[in-house]
């Protein structure tokens, strides 16, 4: 039982398909990139939020709640990008968003829908696992649970997805103007679609 759980936690059943792994890599990157700006904003407003952080949502004090939230939104998401203990950190982020959903439960739908979407996104990552292009896969390979026989094209997929993540980050950070941002997003989409179409199912 414990062995099966450890195998599940390390996403070992998610390493076979190249195509699925590209989708999972993109999903992990997206799930992290849309959350990190919230954590950075909380770091910038730390002194203000430490005084009254959403009414101490889990009853451990304002500042500890704020520190845990920043750790989740900035730290845990970096583990998600790397694909290290992907399911564990996705579940912790899902719990974080469940708390946010509970806090906003009686607010208008347009207010509470955002944490609900994030909650669904992290539950999806936890359910699907890390895929081949992850630190979890590297750990499983070292344990002899996965044979990472990459085709030469797979290195290209990984590099392209990193470029896509960097471009998307720059667009989300508003480093480009409108036309350049649109072109960058179109390029991201085309590159990701090429990887998906070229990969083995």
């Amino acid at each position: 039982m414990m062995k099966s759980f450890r195998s599940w936690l390390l996403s070992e059943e998610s390493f076979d398909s190249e195509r699925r792994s590209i989708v999972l890599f993109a999903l992990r990157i997206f799930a992290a990139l849309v959350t990190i700006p919230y954590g950075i904003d909380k770091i910038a407003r730390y002194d203000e939020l430490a005084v009254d952080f959403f009414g101490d949502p889990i009853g451990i004090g304002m500042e500890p709640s704020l520190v845990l939230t920043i750790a989740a939104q900035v730290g845990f998401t970096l583990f998600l990008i790397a694909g290290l203990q992907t399911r564990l950190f996705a579940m912790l982020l899902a719990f974080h968003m469940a708390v946010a959903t509970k806090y906003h439960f009686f607010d208008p739908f347009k207010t509470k829908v955002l944490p609900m979407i994030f909650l669904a996104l992290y539950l999806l990552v936890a359910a699907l696992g890390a895929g081949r292009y992850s630190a979890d896969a590297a750990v499983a390979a070292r344990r002899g649970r996965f044979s990472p026989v990459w085709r030469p094209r797979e290195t290209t997929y990984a590099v392209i997805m990193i470029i896509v993540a960097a471009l998307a980050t720059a667009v989300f950070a508003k480093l480009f103007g409108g036309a350049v941002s649109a072109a960058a997003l179109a390029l991201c989409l085309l590159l990701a679609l090429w990887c998906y179409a070229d990969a083995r199912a």
Side-chain angles (χ1 to χ4, degrees), residues 21-38:
S21 292
I22 287 168
V23 173
L24 293 177
F25 192 12
L27 180 64
R28 288 184 357 241
I29 290 169
F30 177 76
L33 289 183
V34 295
T35 305
I36 289 172
Y38 289 95

Side-chain angles (χ1 to χ4, degrees), residues 107-183:
D107 290 344
F109 181 75
K110 66 180 182 179
T111 301
K112 66 184 174 187
V113 69
L114 191 59
M116 290 167 66
I117 290 170
F118 280 123
L119 172 60
L121 185 60
Y122 291 126
L123 289 175
L124 186 61
V125 174
L128 295 176
R132 291 166 68 88
Y133 313 123
S134 64
D136 284 348
V139 170
R142 287 178 65 92
R143 294 174 54 229
R145 301 299 297 270
F146 164 61
S147 298
V149 181
W150 278 26
R151 295 188 298 147
R153 289 293 264 277
E154 288 193 81
T155 302
T156 305
Y157 302 154
V159 170
I160 285 175
M161 293 308 293
I162 290 167
I163 291 169
V164 166
L167 271 176
T169 302
V171 170
F172 292 153
K174 298 181 181 177
L175 298 181
F176 305 132
V180 177
S181 290

Side-chain angles (χ1 to χ4, degrees), residues 38-100:
Y38 289 95
I40 291 172
D41 178 66
K42 287 176 177 64
I43 292 170
R45 298 168 53 213
Y46 187 90
D47 291 339
E48 170 196 343
L49 292 172
V51 176
D52 183 15
F53 185 65
F54 296 102
D56 186 15
I58 55 176
I60 61 171
M62 301 292 185
E63 195 163 4
S65 293
L66 175 59
V67 169
L68 284 176
T69 299
I70 291 170
Q73 293 179 346
V74 177
F76 295 177
T77 49
L78 295 178
F79 285 101
L80 217 59
I81 291 172
L84 180 60
Q85 287 292 322
T86 304
R87 282 182 159 142
L88 172 63
F89 285 107
M91 287 187 290
L92 289 171
L93 283 160
F95 172 77
H96 166 65
M97 286 303 161
V99 172

